[in-house]
């Protein structure tokens, strides 16, 4: 994947990840990378939880943490709590996080 099209960016203390979440998606899964109408790349994810009382966001944090073998406390939602398109931050060494994200989203 070309770095310009990647839905993540390294920061000094972790990685910023742009993501589109589908709540009540039938399963908890990461479905690759998608380009939005405005040209932004996002990682697609779905969770079984409904978007009520923060349950879908909590399920998303758990899904990303598990997929990256990171503690849940390392994954935070920086913006988009009530939107489908979210900006997440994963704290830690950026290199292994980006490697893990690239394996999750090979397209």
């Amino acid at each position: 994947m070309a770095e310009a099209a990647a839905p993540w960016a390294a920061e000094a203390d972790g990685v910023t990840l742009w993501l589109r979440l589908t709540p009540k998606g039938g399963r908890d899964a990461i479905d690759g990378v998608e380009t939005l109408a405005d040209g932004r790349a996002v990682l697609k994810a779905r969770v079984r939880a409904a978007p009520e009382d923060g349950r879908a966001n909590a399920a998303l944090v758990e899904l990303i943490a598990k997929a990256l073998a990171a503690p849940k406390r390392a994954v935070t939602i920086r913006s988009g709590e009530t939107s489908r398109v979210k900006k997440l931050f994963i704290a830690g060494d950026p290199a292994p996080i980006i490697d893990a994200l690239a394996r999750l989203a090979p397209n």
Side-chain angles (χ1 to χ4, degrees):
M1 170 187 297
E3 192 63 33
W8 51 78
E11 293 188 19
D13 55 350
V15 174
T16 298
L17 171 66
W18 290 271
L19 184 137
R20 185 178 62 85
L21 177 64
T22 302
K24 295 185 359 182
R27 60 191 167 93
D28 294 344
I30 295 171
D31 294 333
V33 175
E34 173 181 54
T35 302
L36 300 178
D38 64 5
R40 289 182 298 164
V42 292
L43 189 68
K44 296 186 301 181
R46 62 180 64 232
V47 295
R48 289 187 293 261
E52 298 164 356
D53 302 323
R55 288 183 287 177
N57 285 341
L60 173 63
V61 167
E62 189 171 333
L63 172 68
I64 296 298
K66 183 176 180 181
L68 299 177
K72 282 194 284 188
R73 70 180 179 278
V75 181
T76 55
I77 298 175
R78 284 205 169 155
S79 65
E81 288 86 357
T82 60
S83 171
R84 282 182 181 256
V85 177
K86 301 177 184 298
K87 181 179 176 183
L88 278 63
F89 181 75
I90 303 110
D93 182 0
I97 295 169
I98 288 173
D99 287 345
L101 286 168
R103 285 192 300 275
L104 290 173
N107 50 341

